[in-house]
Amino acid sequence: MVAAVYILLGVEAVMEFILTRIEYQKTIYRLMSASILLFCLLFCAFWIFFDHITWTTTILFAVSLFRALNIMRFGYGRMGQGYLKKVVSRSSWRLTILQIISFLLVYLVVNQPTILVPLLLGSSLLGLCLMLKSLLNNIRPTKIVDVDITGNDVPVVTVAIPARNETDDMAACIQSILESDYPKLEVLVLDDCSHDQTPEVIRQFAHAGVRFIQGEEPENGWLAKNSAYQRLSDEATGEYILFCGVDIRFDSGGITDLINYMCSKKLNMISLLPRRVRHIQQALFFQAARYGWEIVLPRFLDKERPPALSSCWMVKKSFLGAGGFKAVSHSVMPERFFARKASAINSYNFLANRNLKLAHSHKTAKQQHQTGIRLRYPQLRKRPENVALYLMSLVWLFFLPSTLLLSGLISSIPMSWAILSITIILCWSIISYKLFTVVTGRTVATLLAVIFPLVILVDIYTCLISLWRYEFGQIEWKGRNVCLPIMHVLPKLPEIE
């Protein structure tokens, strides 16, 4: 009977691939196809899992849930039909292949552990060494060299701030900029249709030269933030544009150091990881996970994916080009596009050294959590198979050695397994300590490194919530649903009979 269920699971995979590529004239036919596929898949997955619960069937069941989610978005029909067919069929065959590979791998590990377990542990250690190298590269000491720029040679820097419903933070942000010692500053603040007192707060600084720009509702296909970036860059007269969020506070010499660094290195763009304010303890885990995605992943292996943060980044206006932000109108991280472009010609740097006294962040735990949800699924290219692969990578890199160590306390395991597992956990601890040092400083980093599994669990939760809301719900950012332009969502119209 179990063999028949496995055969049915394979037949369902073939049906899924075929039916997701058919052109449906009516929504009801697509819904019926999705319902049949979903029933067959879940029936097989639950039967196999509960008939004999093992590591093999657990992995098979877990990937089946992602395949079920892919079928659900096919039936939900949130995207245009042409785009929907493309992304669902692609995810369908990739998840099927991932399911087969993971099933075979776990089966071999269970039945041939002497060979496979050391191989997996060794590859985990190699992956963590690459992550540690990436982290150390990104947080290495940075020396700011004063550039001899005087008189008319001093470039004008435009500080560009998009704001929406920021009454509480707006004044402090602007005040920190006005206290800068940089001699040629232009401050532009765009009010993106706020519903509170943000416009009045901005206008209070008109006497200090702060220019108020009235924003408009974004056009179709544009994220509101990217539309604001485009408007701000059009209005800017400076040679350099410093984009920052309202939660950023600049040190008095921060902007001067940033421009000195860019000029001395002859860069087109830099991105800055701001220091965390000590009293916002609740934001710790969300912030660590967010920063970890940028400075821990071995992005140095691929220049197409350099680290970047939207909190604070500076770019030469001429480098934006004539099109500005039009190429990334619906991108949740437009700064990564320009970072990739600058990195290709070696004119981009990411600054993450905590000792740099440049800027710090006042973002709360709730805001950090919302930012994580907004970014995580797009960071995984909005593909369920990438989410599944990410979670499986965590099992391979962290949960496998942890499980082996715990099982070693109950029953004996080979000494080589124990040594590799302990080495991997120590490597995780070093990475966590270095990461928390960037986020919090050395004072509490040692304690927090002990509880770093919580950061992993928080990020898993954030990743799954981000996936679900982008595919089936909505993500509110400053009072707007960002899913529409990002997911190519089409409004549902009444069908004509």
Side-chain angles (χ1 to χ4, degrees):
M1 183 62 184
V2 175
V5 175
Y6 274 100
I7 294 173
L8 184 60
L9 189 64
V11 172
E12 186 278 332
V14 175
M15 289 174 55
E16 181 182 331
F17 182 73
I18 295 173
L19 292 178
T20 53
R21 299 182 68 87
I22 295 176
E23 190 79 28
Y24 293 92
Q25 298 300 320
K26 290 188 177 182
T27 304
I28 186 64
Y29 298 147
R30 189 185 69 246
L31 286 172
M32 289 175 61
S33 299
S35 299
I36 293 171
L37 291 173
L38 189 63
F39 174 79
C40 292
L41 174 64
L42 292 179
F43 173 79
C44 296
F46 277 98
W47 181 287
I48 293 172
F49 179 67
F50 287 105
D51 180 71
H52 188 55
I53 299 177
T54 63
W55 283 110
T56 307
T57 57
T58 301
I59 293 294
L60 185 68
F61 178 74
V63 182
S64 293
L65 293 181
F66 281 95
R67 287 182 56 197
L69 186 144
N70 189 49
I71 296 172
M72 286 172 59
R73 67 175 182 161
F74 173 63
Y76 192 66
R78 187 168 199 175
M79 297 164 268
Q81 187 166 190
Y83 184 72
L84 181 68
K85 285 170 52 182
K86 176 184 175 182
V87 298
V88 171
S89 60
R90 178 186 61 202
S91 295
S92 175
W93 68 264
R94 287 183 178 179
L95 282 167
T96 301
I97 292 175
L98 182 62
Q99 190 172 43
I100 294 172
I101 293 174
S102 59
F103 174 82
L104 292 175
L105 189 60
V106 174
Y107 177 81
L108 291 173
V109 167
V110 172
N111 292 277
Q112 299 290 334
T114 307
I115 300 174
L116 265 296
V117 171
L119 183 62
L120 285 175
L121 291 175
S123 57
S124 297
L125 186 57
L126 176 61
L128 288 173
C129 287
L130 290 174
M131 291 167 62
L132 181 58
K133 175 178 171 57
S134 174
L135 177 59
L136 294 176
N137 284 344
N138 284 319
I139 64 173
R140 64 184 182 275
T142 303
K143 185 177 180 180
I144 303 294
V145 179
D146 290 335
V147 180
D148 186 16
I149 304 175
T150 57
N152 295 328
D153 292 333
V154 177
V156 176
V157 175
T158 299
V159 182
I161 309 171
R164 178 177 168 88
N165 301 332
E166 302 285 3
T167 301
D168 297 334
D169 291 328
M170 192 77 258
C173 177
I174 296 176
Q175 189 61 45
S176 74
I177 295 169
L178 295 178
E179 291 173 358
S180 170
D181 60 10
Y182 192 74
K184 289 188 177 181
L185 275 183
E186 177 187 46
V187 184
L188 305 181
V189 184
L190 182 142
D191 173 56
D192 188 12
C193 309
S194 296
H195 302 140
D196 60 5
Q197 303 302 311
T198 298
E200 286 73 15
V201 175
I202 300 171
R203 290 190 179 98
Q204 290 175 6
F205 292 91
H207 68 281
V210 176
R211 186 143 62 95
F212 174 87
I213 300 174
Q214 180 61 60
E216 300 174 351
E217 289 295 330
E219 298 177 2
N220 289 336
W222 278 81
L223 279 177
K225 188 174 184 179
N226 299 347
S227 179
Y229 278 163
Q230 181 65 52
R231 179 77 182 281
L232 286 164
S233 62
D234 289 340
E235 296 283 345
T237 61
E239 183 180 345
Y240 294 87
I241 305 178
L242 174 58
F243 294 101
C244 68
V246 179
D247 61 289
I248 296 298
R249 309 287 183 269
F250 288 96
D251 292 20
S252 59
I255 297 176
T256 301
D257 285 343
L258 284 173
I259 199 67
N260 280 337
Y261 185 80
M262 284 198 72
C263 292
S264 65
K265 298 290 185 179
K266 298 181 180 179
L267 302 176
N268 285 315
M269 178 179 170
I270 57 174
S271 183
L272 174 67
L273 189 152
R275 307 192 316 275
R276 189 187 66 86
V277 178
R278 290 179 180 273
H279 66 269
I280 307 180
Q281 299 293 340
Q282 300 89 340
L284 182 63
F285 293 110
F286 300 113
Q287 200 166 24
R290 181 188 174 196
Y291 290 169
W293 271 79
E294 300 303 324
I295 62 178
V296 175
L297 295 183
R299 298 179 182 274
F300 64 90
L301 297 176
D302 184 7
K303 282 192 174 183
E304 291 292 310
R305 295 184 171 277
L309 283 173
S310 60
S311 305
C312 182
W313 57 289
M314 181 183 285
V315 64
K316 267 190 174 182
K317 183 178 180 179
S318 58
F319 187 72
L320 294 176
F325 290 84
K326 291 180 182 178
V328 287
S329 59
H330 62 274
S331 172
V332 74
M333 290 190 71
E335 61 280 353
R336 195 181 296 285
F337 170 80
F338 297 106
R340 183 169 64 244
K341 181 180 172 184
S343 182
I345 57 176
N346 297 316
S347 65
Y348 171 75
N349 269 353
F350 181 78
L351 302 179
N353 183 10
R354 182 174 173 81
N355 294 327
L356 291 175
K357 305 297 183 182
L358 302 175
H360 50 274
S361 171
H362 278 247
K363 190 170 284 189
T364 64
K366 181 179 179 180
Q367 291 170 333
Q368 289 284 359
H369 181 48
Q370 291 174 341
T371 298
I373 292 175
R374 179 173 61 90
L375 295 178
R376 195 63 75 244
Y377 195 43
Q379 285 175 328
L380 290 165
R381 296 192 173 188
K382 306 184 293 292
R383 297 176 184 177
E385 65 270 27
N386 288 353
V387 178
L389 188 60
Y390 167 62
L391 297 181
M392 290 177 63
S393 298
L394 288 179
V395 172
W396 162 53
L397 290 170
F398 176 73
F399 291 105
L400 174 62
S402 301
T403 303
L404 286 175
L405 277 181
L406 290 175
S407 63
L409 298 176
I410 302 173
S411 60
S412 61
I413 60 173
M415 182 62 67
S416 60
W417 296 13
I419 293 173
L420 280 172
S421 298
I422 292 172
T423 305
I424 289 171
I425 297 301
L426 287 175
C427 196
W428 270 110
S429 300
I430 294 171
I431 291 173
S432 303
Y433 172 77
K434 291 293 184 181
L435 177 60
F436 280 119
T437 298
V438 174
V439 178
T440 67
R442 292 188 178 90
T443 307
V444 293
T446 304
L447 172 63
L448 293 172
V450 178
I451 57 174
F452 71 91
L454 290 177
V455 176
I456 297 176
L457 294 176
V458 165
D459 198 55
I460 290 174
Y461 168 77
T462 301
C463 189
L464 294 175
I465 292 295
S466 180
L467 180 153
W468 183 264
R469 290 189 184 178
Y470 269 112
E471 293 291 356
F472 306 108
Q474 66 179 38
I475 293 183
E476 293 283 339
W477 186 252
K478 307 295 184 183
R480 290 191 177 97
N481 182 13
V482 301
C483 294
L484 274 77
I486 293 178
M487 299 299 292
H488 300 268
V489 179
L490 295 181
K492 291 188 177 181
L493 301 177
E495 293 188 3
I496 300 176
E497 298 294 340

